[in-house]
Amino acid sequence: MILAKRPEVDRFLKSPDPAVRAALFHGKDRSGVGERAVILSKTVTPDLNDPFNVTLLTDSDIDSDPARLEDALTAMSLMGGRRLVRVRLGEGKPGVDKALAAALTIHADGGFNPDAMLVIEAGALGRESALRKAAEKAAGAVLIACYEDEVGDVSRMTREALAADKVGLTSDALEMFVARLPRERGLMRQEIERLVLFIGPGSGRSIGPEELEQHLGVEPDASLSDAALQAFGARPGPAQAGLRRAFAEGESAVMAVRMTALHLGKLRRINILQHNGAGAKEAAKAAGVFWKQEAEMLRQARGWRLEMLDEVQDSVNAADVASKTTGLPDQLIAERLLLEIAARGRRLGL
């Protein structure tokens, strides 16, 4: 079953049909795919890290041991509640595609644990994909394609996100901001978060084009951005120096982690676009890379493949939580994160 129109997709994500046991999200916008998959997954269980009710598999897991998928879908909950099986696909291997298609068809018909929910995240799947065909045909499954947001959707998302933090933009400023945003949902949300911090969360302020230009005009080689660039470029010394310079300028560790996530998101975007056939310069532009950094970002993207970026994303998420909740010195948390990334980069030969 295909869900294509935004209202019906939104309704399904908010209150999924109990008869649906499998959902396939696919598209070039991997952040949009992941965001929608998480929304649906949280209707099954609020804790996506629950070791008893949640199983997370990758295409490598399924390729190396096909039985793991069936075992996960057959397993019953030990602690009560529904089981959630999440599958994240990367390279789109034909064998994995067929194995998932067969499992989805059986599970959608109730052949495994009928109380389990199967949620699959994939890149853009062609019409020849067996998995895509299976999700389209099965009555107990949905197929949701995630495309880049249109300008109207981006404007709406921006207004809603700003309103949630009690800040806003005038109509002219909103048009200017949306025009400068990269068309990838994860990067857009990070840029909106930066804008909220600039205006002042909870301040009730709305700013116009002139004040917005002060925010947009910040040089991309500012200390935090430069620290992230140096870290992913496998240069620990300059990364550490840039980070300490930013702290001396009054920047926060939380913002340092967010800028690191923003840089990671751009590398991820470049990888995905090139994998889908885009040229290097085209991919860099679409990812919102400043022209002065284009050569370095493309060099980094060649070294940092998607599976490595997924591992770093886990470290970034952990640092983000730790810097806000643990009471540990947050500047040391951010510094350790950048040094860890630089060390990984060196091992990749950057």
Side-chain angles (χ1 to χ4, degrees), residues 33-334:
V33 167
E35 183 175 305
R36 292 173 176 90
V38 167
I39 292 173
L40 177 61
S41 296
K42 286 187 175 180
T43 66
V44 180
T45 175
D47 182 6
L48 300 187
N49 296 312
D50 183 346
F52 299 103
N53 286 334
V54 179
T55 298
L56 175 62
L57 300 174
T58 66
D59 44 359
S60 297
D61 295 327
I62 298 171
D63 191 37
S64 62
D65 184 5
R68 290 186 65 179
L69 177 61
E70 183 174 339
D71 291 343
L73 291 171
T74 306
M76 306 297 289
S77 173
L78 298 176
M79 307 298 290
R82 294 184 67 192
R83 287 268 303 153
L84 171 66
V85 180
R86 299 180 66 190
V87 179
R88 290 177 179 164
L89 299 181
E91 299 178 6
K93 299 176 181 177
V96 174
D97 185 84
K98 292 178 181 179
L100 270 170
L104 181 145
T105 300
I106 296 171
H107 184 60
D109 290 337
F112 296 125
N113 175 2
D115 289 329
M117 183 68 181
L118 172 63
V119 178
I120 304 171
E121 304 171 34
L125 298 176
R127 294 192 177 278
E128 73 284 356
S129 165
L131 175 58
R132 176 174 169 174
K133 292 177 181 177
E136 288 175 349
K137 294 178 181 178
V142 295
L143 172 70
I144 298 176
C146 301
Y147 303 106
E148 291 184 344
D149 293 293
E150 299 293 335
V151 172
D153 294 328
V154 177
S155 297
R156 175 183 54 82
M157 184 175 73
T158 302
R159 284 195 302 269
E160 292 175 353
L162 295 178
D165 281 296
K166 297 181 174 58
V167 295
L169 295 172
T170 65
S171 57
D172 289 342
L174 178 64
E175 182 178 351
M176 178 190 297
F177 182 70
V178 169
R180 297 277 287 270
L181 284 175
R183 286 296 181 266
E184 197 271 331
R185 184 165 285 219
L187 299 181
M188 281 192 281
R189 290 209 179 276
Q190 290 169 8
E191 288 295 335
I192 293 170
E193 288 179 4
R194 289 183 60 230
L195 177 62
V196 169
L197 290 174
F198 174 76
I199 300 174
S203 65
R205 297 179 63 234
S206 289
I207 65 173
E210 291 185 4
E211 194 170 357
L212 176 63
E213 191 62 44
Q214 297 175 19
H215 169 70
L216 297 177
V218 173
E219 284 296 318
D221 59 347
S223 301
L224 284 182
S225 179
D226 183 62
L229 181 73
Q230 300 297 338
F232 279 94
R235 294 180 285 269
Q240 190 176 43
L243 187 61
R244 291 180 176 178
R245 183 169 63 250
F247 290 152
E249 294 167 354
E251 295 287 0
S252 69
V254 171
M255 191 61 186
V257 175
R258 287 184 179 178
M259 288 299 289
T260 304
L262 178 63
H263 190 94
L264 185 151
K266 289 180 179 180
L267 290 176
R268 183 191 301 278
R269 176 67 166 159
I270 291 171
N271 265 286
I272 292 171
L273 286 171
Q274 289 189 293
H275 178 75
N276 290 324
K281 290 183 177 293
E282 178 188 357
K285 183 178 180 180
V289 173
F290 187 56
W291 67 270
K292 289 183 180 180
Q293 296 178 338
E294 182 183 280
E296 172 62 16
M297 288 293 288
L298 290 176
R299 183 186 78 89
Q300 292 182 15
R302 288 192 292 270
W304 289 99
R305 311 313 299 169
L306 285 173
E307 58 270 20
M308 286 82 167
L309 291 175
D310 285 340
E311 294 177 3
V312 174
Q313 184 68 66
D314 291 338
S315 297
V316 172
N317 292 341
D320 183 53
V321 173
S323 65
K324 297 174 182 176
T325 61
T326 62
L328 296 173
D330 54 2
Q331 292 186 358
L332 291 180
I333 292 171

Side-chain angles (χ1 to χ4, degrees), residues 5-24:
K5 297 180 179 179
R6 200 190 79 199
E8 63 182 6
V9 171
D10 290 344
R11 281 195 298 271
F12 173 76
L13 294 179
K14 183 177 181 181
S15 181
D17 184 344
V20 172
R21 300 188 181 93
L24 169 60

